[in-house]
Amino acid sequence: MSDNSIGTESPLWESVKTDFSNVFPPDVYRIWFEPIIVLEECEDEITLGVQNDFAVIWIQENYLDVIAKKLSLAVGHRVDVMVRVSKDEGGEAVMQQTDRPKQQLRHKSEQKVREICSLNPKNTFENFVVGSGNQMAHAACIAVSSTPGRAYNPLFLYGDTGLGKTHLIQAVAHQILKQAPHTHVVYTSTEKFTNEFINALQQNSLPNFRQKYRGIDVLLIDDIHFLSGKERIQEEFFHTFNELFEAQKQILLCSDRPASEIAKLESRLVSRFQWGLVTDIQAPDFETRMAILAKKAAAMNLRLSQDVVECLANRVSSNVRKLEGALTRLASYYSLTRAPINIEAVEHLLHDLFREEAVIQVSTEHVKRKVAEYYRLKLADMVSKRRPANIAFPRQVAMYLCRVMTTQSLADIGNEFGGRDHGTVIHACKTVENMIDQDCSIKRTVEYLQKLITSSK
C-alpha cells in the first residue's frame, strides 16, 4: 500500500467497495459503504472518513471487522482500520462530489437511521410475486409509494399470517425512501408502539413519544389488531392518526382481519381505518405458488426439477412463509450433502410439514357440501348438468372456492363438478370475481362461506 492522504483516490478501497456492493443488500451498501472515502492510507493502516458521528459508531460496531478482513486479504497482510468523521481544512464534512445527491441521508436523526435499517432489505416490490390473491393489495401499495398521502389514505391491508402483508408494507417504505431519501418514514409494529408508549408514561417523556410519531411523513404499522382491548393505547393512536391524516401524511396499516372484526376496537377507530382503501390478501393459488417457488429458488441458487416444484406447490398451500421454509430446508440439505433433490428426498425432509399441511388443507368435497347446504341445494346439484339460475350460480361459487381454497388444478376441479372442462372452471371463477367486485352482498357471502368452510373442516 502506498502512502496517500485526503483527496487522493484509493484503488484498494474502490476495489473493496465494489466487492461489498455485490455482497450487501443495495440499501445497506448505499447507506453505509457508498459514502465512505479514504482520508489516510499507508502500508499497514487506513483511515476511512464517514458523514457524521453516528456513522462512525455504526460502522465500528457492525462492519469494522469485515472491512479490516477484506482489506487485509486484498494486500496480503494485516491492515488496521480507523474510522472518523471526514473534515476539510475549514472544518466542513468532506464528500466526494459524485456522492453529494445521495448524502441527504446525513441529515436524518440517529433514530430514523435505525428505523430505516430495521427494514428487511429483501422485502421490496421487485422480490414480490403478484398473483390473483394479492393483485389488488400490490397495486394499492404501488400507488401509495408513488404518491404518499394522496392515493389511498389510510391503506388497510388484511389477511392470514404468512401471505405477504409485512413484505408489502416494507416494500412501500423501501420505495418511498428510494424515490425521496429525505422522507421521514417510520415502520413499526403495534407491540413496539405499545411498549414505547408505556415506557414514555413511566419516564414522563410523552412529548418526545408524540413528537416521534406525529412529526413524520409516513407511518406504517404492522399487526394493528393487537390494539384490541388496549383502551389507553387506542386513545393515543386515535389522536396520532388524526394529526397525521389532517396533515395529509400517509398511514398504512396491516391486520390479520378486517377492522370491523377486531374485538374491543373503538368504533371511531374502525371508522377511520375504513376511510381510505381496505383490501385483503388471500392465499396464493397453484400458479402463484409455482412462481414464488421459482423466484425464491433462483435467489438461493437452488436448482429444482419441475416435478419437485410441482410437488411443493401442491403440498404446501397455506402460506408463503411455509414455502420459503421448505426451500430453506432443501437448500441446507443440498449445501451439506450435495445429494440430488428428488421427490424421495423432498418427502423425507419435509414429511412433518406435509403432515401439518394435510390437516390444514380443504377438500373439494367439503367445499361442495358446505356451499350446497348454504344455498339449500342437494349435493347432487353441484355435479348435475342442470343449469337453472338457482343452481348454476351456487355451483360457480363452489368452483371459485375450490380454486382459491384447495390445491386442485383447473382440470381436477372440473372433474369434481360432473366432468366439466377447465374452461368452464375459469369462466365460473371470473364470473364470481366480477360479482364480488360489483356486489357487496355477494362479496360478504363468499367471505362468509370461506370462513364457514375453514372452521368446519
Side-chain angles (χ1 to χ4, degrees), residues 1-4 10 12 38-48 71-72 75 77-84:
M1 294 170 63
S2 59
D3 290 346
N4 286 320
S10 167
L12 172 64
V38 174
L39 299 180
E40 297 176 6
E41 180 181 349
C42 59
E43 186 66 26
D44 55 4
E45 186 176 282
I46 188 170
T47 301
L48 302 176
L71 286 167
S72 300
V75 299
H77 59 77
R78 176 177 171 176
V79 176
D80 292 323
V81 181
M82 291 182 290
V83 183
R84 62 179 172 85

Side-chain angles (χ1 to χ4, degrees), residues 67-200:
I67 291 173
K69 288 178 181 177
K70 198 71 175 177
L71 286 167
S72 300
L73 186 64
V75 299
H77 59 77
R78 176 177 171 176
V79 176
D80 292 323
V81 181
M82 291 182 290
V83 183
R84 62 179 172 85
V85 178
S86 52
K87 302 283 185 180
D88 63 11
E89 293 180 357
E92 295 295 326
V94 175
M95 291 178 289
Q96 295 174 346
Q97 195 67 28
T98 56
D99 288 335
R100 284 188 179 276
K102 297 175 183 177
Q103 303 312 315
Q104 297 177 50
L105 288 169
R106 71 186 184 278
H107 298 299
K108 298 182 187 295
S109 65
E110 174 178 329
Q111 180 63 39
K112 184 177 179 186
V113 174
R114 288 184 182 274
E115 287 159 358
I116 293 172
C117 292
S118 70
L119 299 172
N120 186 333
K122 295 180 180 179
N123 287 343
T124 63
F125 287 125
E126 290 77 12
N127 292 332
F128 190 81
V129 177
V130 182
S132 58
N134 59 33
Q135 191 172 18
M136 180 65 179
H138 176 264
C141 286
I142 290 286
V144 163
S145 63
S146 300
T147 55
R150 288 182 288 170
Y152 304 109
N153 200 25
L155 176 59
F156 189 99
L157 304 180
Y158 71 91
D160 290 336
T161 300
L163 297 183
K165 300 187 300 297
T166 298
H167 189 140
L168 276 179
I169 194 174
Q170 291 197 12
V172 170
H174 280 302
Q175 188 66 18
I176 291 174
L177 290 168
K178 181 179 179 180
Q179 294 173 161
H182 60 281
T183 307
H184 194 164
V185 177
V186 170
Y187 163 76
T188 189
S189 66
T190 303
E191 182 182 11
K192 185 178 178 183
F193 182 88
T194 300
N195 291 337
E196 288 185 21
F197 177 71
I198 293 171
N199 290 337

Side-chain angles (χ1 to χ4, degrees), residues 20 29 42 64 81 108 110 153 280 293 324 352 354 410:
F20 284 157
Y29 175 79
C42 59
L64 193 61
V81 181
K108 298 182 187 295
E110 174 178 329
N153 200 25
D280 69 329
L293 287 167
E324 292 179 342
D352 56 330
F354 289 164
L410 292 169

Side-chain angles (χ1 to χ4, degrees), residues 144-365:
V144 163
S145 63
S146 300
T147 55
R150 288 182 288 170
Y152 304 109
N153 200 25
L155 176 59
F156 189 99
L157 304 180
Y158 71 91
D160 290 336
T161 300
L163 297 183
K165 300 187 300 297
T166 298
H167 189 140
L168 276 179
I169 194 174
Q170 291 197 12
V172 170
H174 280 302
Q175 188 66 18
I176 291 174
L177 290 168
K178 181 179 179 180
Q179 294 173 161
H182 60 281
T183 307
H184 194 164
V185 177
V186 170
Y187 163 76
T188 189
S189 66
T190 303
E191 182 182 11
K192 185 178 178 183
F193 182 88
T194 300
N195 291 337
E196 288 185 21
F197 177 71
I198 293 171
N199 290 337
L201 283 176
Q202 293 172 341
Q203 298 171 11
N204 295 319
S205 58
L206 272 180
N208 293 337
F209 173 84
R210 287 168 178 161
Q211 182 180 10
K212 171 185 174 180
Y213 283 102
R214 301 182 189 183
I216 60 178
D217 300 313
V218 180
L219 176 62
L220 308 105
I221 295 196
D222 223 338
D223 297 326
I224 199 69
H225 50 274
F226 285 129
L227 283 179
S228 173
K230 299 181 175 70
E231 295 180 3
R232 185 70 186 273
I233 307 299
Q234 289 186 33
E235 175 76 19
E236 183 65 28
F237 189 75
F238 172 78
H239 295 296
T240 298
F241 182 101
N242 282 347
E243 190 155 331
L244 291 174
F245 184 84
E246 290 169 5
Q248 295 185 318
K249 305 301 183 182
Q250 181 66 50
I251 304 167
L252 202 163
L253 310 171
C254 284
S255 171
D256 66 356
R257 70 205 76 168
S260 58
E261 296 182 12
I262 300 176
K264 299 180 181 179
L265 182 66
E266 293 181 11
S267 58
R268 58 181 180 173
L269 279 177
V270 173
S271 173
R272 279 161 176 75
F273 291 173
Q274 296 173 338
W275 275 354
L277 176 66
V278 177
T279 184
D280 69 329
I281 300 179
Q282 298 176 2
D285 57 22
F286 177 77
E287 287 80 7
T288 305
R289 294 196 297 274
M290 289 281 288
I292 290 170
L293 287 167
K295 191 159 193 172
K296 300 291 184 183
M300 296 178 182
N301 292 319
L302 184 64
R303 293 185 178 181
L304 298 177
S305 62
Q306 184 69 13
D307 59 339
V308 167
V309 174
E310 289 182 359
C311 173
L312 291 173
N314 271 315
R315 302 284 293 276
V316 184
S317 61
S318 59
N319 68 54
V320 177
R321 200 167 294 156
K322 287 186 177 181
L323 281 177
E324 292 179 342
L327 281 180
T328 300
R329 282 201 214 178
L330 297 181
S332 300
Y333 167 78
Y334 179 74
S335 66
L336 291 171
T337 66
R338 295 294 170 180
I341 301 176
N342 50 32
I343 295 294
E344 292 74 20
V346 170
E347 292 283 354
H348 174 70
L349 292 168
L350 304 177
H351 66 278
D352 56 330
L353 178 58
F354 289 164
R355 187 166 55 248
E356 181 182 333
E357 282 288 304
V359 175
I360 296 172
Q361 288 177 5
V362 174
S363 70
T364 305
E365 194 67 19

